[in-house]
Amino acid sequence: MSRFTSLSRRQKIALASTAVLIALPVAAAVTLLNMDWNRTKPWLNARASEALGRPFAIAGDLSLTWRQPAGGQTGWRGYLPWPHLQAQDVRLGNPDSMAASDGEAAQLATVSQLAFSLNPLALLDRQIVIPQLRFDSPQVRLLRNKDGKNNWTFEKQDQQSPWQLQLQSVVFSKGTVQLDDAVTHTSMRADVDTLADDKRYGIAWKLAGKYRGETIQGGGKAGSVLSLQRQGTPFPIQADMRAGGSSVAIEGTLTRPTDLAALDVRLKIAGSSMARLYPLTGVLLPETPRFSTEGHLTATLAPGGGEWVYEQFSGKVGSSDISGKLAFSASNPRKRLTGEVHSRLLQLSDLGPLVGADSSASKKERGVPSTQPAGRVLPVETFKTERWTSLDADVRYTADNITRDAQLPISKLDTHVVLSDGVLSLTPLNFNVAGGTLTSQIKLDGSGKVIPNGIAAELKASARHLRIKQLFPRLPALQASVGEINGDASLSATGNSVATLLGSSNGEVRALINRGSISKLLLEEMGLNIGSIVVTKLVGDKQVKLNCMAADFVVSKGLMRTRQFLVDTDDAVLHIDGTVNLANEQLDLTLQPDSKGLRIFSLRSPLYVQGTFSKPDVSVDKGVLALRAGGALALAVVAPVAALLPLVNAGP
């Protein structure tokens, strides 16, 4: 005591201040260790509710222990213990705009136990910094009503709270997640469980329910620690889902799940038709046969949209191979698809579903009812134009080689597909056909602005240097023929299928062969020159010079009418007149052969090509044949040699 009294006044003040500085932390530590933390729940609940903008409550017991921070703290901060709180029965409610009458539905999430550490120094800046939040048995219910309001978006409050919440990572345990979305007609449930002995994944999940009206099932795995930091650790994910006839499998990583900053996965997709993916993806894709692809998918999301890139993919569509790169942008006012797709080998029949020209079995497999009437050739399957305004597209497609039926000698394909505000353009759509080229430009306006629930179509096509021999490979009489066909077509139409478009078309079609040769046997057979046919068969076929072949049709409301159609050779002239009805698929053509030289035993008579596209009928004029035959018989009674006169064609 004497020593204390002998100290100066300044020394006494300094000693007392030091004692207070030591006593205060000690007293605070003793108080914190022994206090009942349940008394702080009202304050914590209020601060968390302000930061989250929705009701938050710790309904069960709240306890506290002290732990050293896990890392990232330097200097004396690394030695300062952090409070570690454990809360029982934690509830996070929905925003006021989505509050429901029943208590369970009014909760966004409930957790049987929640554990987290708190940075005490951050509280001085009114920040609630939680490095890791652990959920045990979470029950999450995500809701979105018809007007688009949801309970998982944390919007900024009108009155900004001075408190801010920083949640850096989340650890899951066994629980469930329920999604009810009135916008996409979705109701799904995911059951989540922990994995004990998996080095990469910490949780497994199973999914079942309805998505966009389609029954969906699946499962997958995910990492145990979900990083929410700005520079978060990639979060491993693996999933395999099936909906209808389609399946989707992914495996890779996800960074910053709250805003999908980086998605990097291997993606496998398979299904009965690419068009069947629309309910799952919202991306408009064409009708195809059964397909499967595998490639590298990366994605980023930004406010108001996002970018998805599917690159280095390869796969099969029907019997055709495909590869390339596609990019999808969730932009406004419409989503956008761009890219390039390539095939080394294309099976021509795999293009049939694009216009509904595939078989009934193929339609059944891709989930489309077979509406093609018996006996009709032109496809009647309607185009789904109501989806055309949901997406803009700019995609280039090329095929190096094409396998096809021998009746259709197409070898190469190059097209540029552009879809803009419901208007589909193929500029160009080019083929290599029969040693020549077929170039075309097609415009299909399915926006509904011109034709409600239909298409206003325009076609311009040009054929150049098509070789006759290759164009008709299954007609033996033409295999000795040479020459090239050139032609042009210009048509406009309205309808909702290939059949209705052609059945209402207007325009003109022209074709010309201005040099070459043609089989003499074919001409003799068309002229019914029996004697010449016999001689040609005996001595062999030869080529006849083809001076000209010209075909000129005018098309009005689906009816093709000949303005000029003739074939002129050194031996004969063939005149063709009549109509081709595209609306009811009826043929009505008359072929009138005229020989230029003397023909013995000629039954020369007009030929009629009638019937339907599926069952054409070729016949001769029976009246002319009867007159010639009758004349021959009558003359045979008088003079046998004179019987030959009606069968002689002296030519012009």
Side-chain angles (χ1 to χ4, degrees):
M1 184 69 179
S2 60
R3 291 182 179 179
F4 182 77
T5 55
S6 62
L7 296 175
S8 64
R9 185 172 181 273
R10 178 175 297 179
Q11 290 174 328
K12 291 178 181 179
I13 293 174
L15 185 60
S17 299
T18 302
V20 170
L21 291 175
I22 295 174
L24 283 176
V26 172
V30 172
T31 302
L32 291 173
L33 288 171
N34 293 278
M35 73 174 292
D36 183 5
W37 280 92
N38 287 301
R39 296 180 179 179
T40 65
K41 289 194 299 184
W43 182 86
L44 288 175
N45 291 343
R47 301 291 79 75
S49 297
E50 289 181 8
L52 296 171
R54 63 189 64 207
F56 175 87
I58 302 174
D61 185 62
L62 178 64
S63 61
L64 178 139
T65 57
W66 293 86
R67 298 181 181 180
Q68 292 295 120
Q73 301 295 319
T74 59
W76 61 271
R77 291 179 176 85
Y79 297 97
L80 181 67
W82 285 14
H84 182 77
L85 290 93
Q86 287 187 336
Q88 309 294 326
D89 192 9
V90 180
R91 303 173 184 177
L92 178 62
N94 289 320
D96 294 337
S97 60
M98 299 196 67
S101 57
D102 60 297
E104 182 180 356
Q107 303 299 325
L108 167 62
T110 60
V111 182
S112 62
Q113 178 176 286
L114 181 147
F116 62 93
S117 295
L118 197 64
N119 186 345
L121 297 177
L123 295 174
L124 300 177
D125 294 330
R126 294 185 176 182
Q127 292 185 353
I128 302 175
V129 178
I130 300 176
Q132 188 178 92
L133 181 63
R134 182 180 184 86
F135 291 109
D136 291 332
S137 302
Q139 307 290 321
V140 180
R141 187 177 184 189
L142 306 176
L143 302 173
R144 182 163 64 169
N145 55 30
K146 293 182 179 180
D147 60 8
K149 293 182 180 179
N150 64 70
N151 66 345
W152 61 79
T153 300
F154 291 81
E155 300 177 353
K156 293 183 178 181
Q157 304 301 304
D158 295 335
Q159 295 180 352
Q160 186 70 31
S161 170
W163 290 88
Q164 294 182 352
L165 175 65
Q166 294 185 21
L167 179 59
Q168 297 174 353
S169 65
V170 175
V171 178
F172 294 101
S173 68
K174 186 174 183 179
T176 62
V177 179
Q178 176 75 32
L179 171 63
D180 292 301
D181 186 357
V183 174
T184 59
H185 305 287
T186 299
S187 179
M188 294 189 299
R189 174 188 171 98
D191 294 310
V192 182
D193 204 350
T194 55
L195 296 173
D197 301 322
D198 196 312
K199 295 182 179 180
R200 179 172 174 81
Y201 300 106
I203 61 172
W205 52 271
K206 292 183 179 180
L207 180 72
K210 293 275 190 179
Y211 181 67
R212 295 183 183 271
E214 292 276 356
T215 299
I216 186 170
Q217 290 181 327
K221 301 176 182 178
S224 58
V225 179
L226 183 60
S227 177
L228 306 179
Q229 297 185 76
R230 211 51 162 152
Q231 301 297 329
T233 303
F235 180 65
I237 56 173
Q238 180 267 323
D240 188 350
M241 293 178 287
R242 298 166 300 282
S246 303
S247 64
V248 178
I250 62 171
E251 184 172 6
T253 60
L254 175 64
T255 303
R256 277 196 285 132
T258 51
D259 56 0
L260 201 60
L263 177 68
D264 190 336
V265 298
R266 195 71 184 169
L267 173 64
K268 297 180 181 179
I269 311 176
S272 58
S273 172
M274 289 186 183
R276 301 289 83 74
L277 294 175
Y278 183 80
L280 295 177
T281 63
V283 179
L284 179 65
L285 294 173
E287 289 283 359
T288 67
R290 177 163 290 278
F291 75 97
S292 63
T293 68
E294 180 177 354
H296 183 207
L297 176 67
T298 57
T300 58
L301 281 186
E307 299 288 338
W308 303 71
V309 179
Y310 190 38
E311 59 187 344
Q312 300 174 4
F313 71 81
S314 60
K316 300 279 285 185
V317 178
S319 301
S320 309
D321 69 273
I322 58 169
S323 62
K325 176 181 178 180
L326 293 172
F328 175 76
S329 174
S331 56
N332 290 317
R334 287 174 300 279
K335 302 170 185 176
R336 183 170 176 80
L337 180 69
T338 58
E340 294 185 358
V341 181
H342 177 73
S343 293
R344 296 188 301 272
L345 187 64
L346 170 67
Q347 179 68 42
L348 192 67
S349 60
D350 292 333
L351 298 178
L354 290 173
V355 293
D358 52 336
S359 65
S360 297
S362 175
K363 288 183 172 67
K364 182 178 180 180
E365 184 176 12
R366 60 186 174 92
V368 174
S370 180
T371 56
Q372 189 72 16
R376 294 295 298 269
V377 174
L378 300 178
V380 301
E381 183 178 326
T382 58
F383 297 105
K384 296 180 175 62
T385 55
E386 68 275 7
R387 297 177 178 177
W388 289 17
T389 55
S390 66
L391 178 78
D392 286 348
D394 189 331
V395 179
R396 190 93 187 194
Y397 176 70
T398 56
D400 291 337
N401 296 289
I402 300 178
T403 59
R404 75 281 178 184
D405 187 281
Q407 294 187 52
L408 197 57
I410 300 177
S411 58
K412 208 167 187 178
L413 169 62
D414 179 13
T415 185
H416 186 195
V417 182
V418 177
L419 178 62
S420 178
D421 194 17
V423 180
L424 177 64
S425 300
L426 288 84
T427 51
L429 174 61
N430 295 342
F431 294 92
N432 285 4
V433 183
T437 60
L438 176 62
T439 62
S440 61
Q441 295 183 353
I442 300 175
K443 180 180 177 182
L444 305 174
D445 189 339
S447 64
K449 299 176 181 177
V450 179
I451 303 296
N453 302 318
I455 295 173
E458 297 178 6
L459 165 68
K460 292 184 178 180
S462 297
R464 294 293 182 268
H465 310 298
L466 273 60
R467 297 176 183 174
I468 298 176
K469 178 179 178 180
Q470 296 182 29
L471 192 62
F472 303 102
R474 287 194 174 182
L475 292 179
L478 287 179
Q479 293 311 291
S481 302
V482 296
E484 295 180 348
I485 298 178
N486 298 282
D488 294 292
S490 178
L491 297 172
S492 62
T494 58
N496 59 2
S497 68
V498 172
T500 56
L501 285 171
L502 290 176
S504 65
S505 57
N506 298 284
E508 55 187 10
V509 178
R510 296 190 181 98
L512 177 67
I513 301 177
N514 53 12
R515 61 185 175 87
S517 62
I518 194 168
S519 164
K520 178 179 179 65
L521 177 61
L522 176 64
L523 290 176
E524 301 295 0
E525 288 176 340
M526 295 177 69
L528 298 180
N529 299 315
I530 299 175
S532 298
I533 294 174
V534 173
V535 173
T536 304
K537 288 284 188 179
L538 291 175
V539 302
D541 193 12
K542 69 175 184 178
Q543 293 294 291
V544 176
K545 183 179 178 182
L546 180 66
N547 298 320
C548 175
M549 189 209 80
D552 186 0
F553 287 89
V554 62
V555 186
S556 178
K557 296 181 180 180
L559 185 66
M560 297 179 62
R561 189 181 301 276
T562 55
R563 288 190 292 205
Q564 178 106 354
F565 197 166
L566 62 87
V567 179
D568 182 14
T569 72
D570 285 349
D571 285 3
V573 177
L574 180 66
H575 297 275
I576 304 173
D577 294 297
T579 61
V580 177
N581 195 320
L582 299 175
N584 58 18
E585 301 186 6
Q586 291 288 327
L587 298 168
D588 187 8
L589 297 172
T590 301
L591 285 67
Q592 178 67 55
D594 289 328
S595 297
K596 291 185 177 180
L598 179 65
R599 296 293 183 271
I600 306 298
F601 296 108
S602 176
L603 299 178
R604 182 170 54 87
S605 166
L607 299 178
Y608 300 112
V609 180
Q610 296 173 325
T612 64
F613 291 0
S614 60
K615 292 183 178 181
D617 178 61
V618 180
S619 61
V620 298
D621 191 322
K622 297 180 178 60
V624 174
L625 288 180
L627 288 175
R628 285 177 174 266
L633 290 173
L635 289 173
V637 174
V638 179
V641 177
L644 297 176
L645 295 178
L647 303 181
V648 174
N649 178 16

